[in-house]
Amino acid sequence: MTPGRLVPPPIPPRQRPEVDALLARAMFPDPERIARQRAAYHVPGGPPVFVWEVAGRVVSAAGLHVTGDHAEILHVGTDPAHAGRGYARALLHAVADHLDLTTLSAETDDGAAAFYRRTGFRVEAAPTRNGRARYRCTLTRR
């Protein structure tokens, strides 16, 4: 089992800079777009953010769009100093358990498809966007 614990929303204000930095790792590299997307996570009714914490430190974060027993991963990021230790995988599975989800899905690119496959998601080709390969990743729990 991966050490650590799930921290459900809301994110304490003291952790927001850390969480924002982790989520920004998964965002299109446009500063204005990143600022808009990060701000959306902090407005009432905005997408919930879950974190994985180890020894009191946030090491991974995921922003979601939740509809009933389905959630779509909008962004997921892990601190580079903690990458490869299974924290993002533990986070996503703990979120699915916490929310009692039937499915958890994401759309991603070549860079993250292998991560989702290792995490137990079914990975299928999706329509290309801007000339880049895209993948639809789905974790079905029932």
Side-chain angles (χ1 to χ4, degrees):
M1 170 165 245
T2 303
R5 72 180 188 101
L6 175 70
V7 180
I11 301 304
R14 66 177 168 72
Q15 290 182 332
R16 284 184 184 170
E18 289 174 274
V19 170
D20 284 352
L22 294 175
L23 294 174
R25 294 179 50 74
M27 296 177 185
F28 184 79
D30 170 6
E32 290 178 14
R33 187 171 174 186
I34 289 172
R36 282 192 313 272
Q37 289 175 326
R38 289 184 350 188
Y41 286 117
H42 302 299
V43 298
V49 176
F50 293 80
V51 301
W52 192 255
E53 195 174 78
V54 175
R57 179 177 173 149
V58 174
V59 297
S60 191
L64 308 171
H65 175 77
V66 181
T67 306
D69 64 351
H70 171 78
E72 171 125 20
I73 301 163
L74 302 175
H75 304 101
V76 60
T78 298
D79 182 328
H82 295 90
R85 298 182 189 175
Y87 296 138
R89 176 178 52 246
L91 169 63
L92 295 178
H93 283 275
V95 165
D97 289 342
H98 179 79
L99 296 175
D100 195 25
L101 298 175
T102 300
T103 57
L104 181 60
S105 64
E107 184 178 308
T108 194
D109 56 20
D110 285 322
F115 160 76
Y116 283 105
R117 199 172 281 114
R118 287 190 312 272
T119 302
F121 285 68
R122 184 180 70 246
V123 177
E124 300 175 320
T128 59
R129 192 175 336 145
N130 299 324
R132 294 187 172 150
R134 300 296 294 172
Y135 301 90
R136 187 79 188 145
C137 309
T138 307
L139 179 67
T140 303
R141 303 185 64 239
R142 297 181 200 146

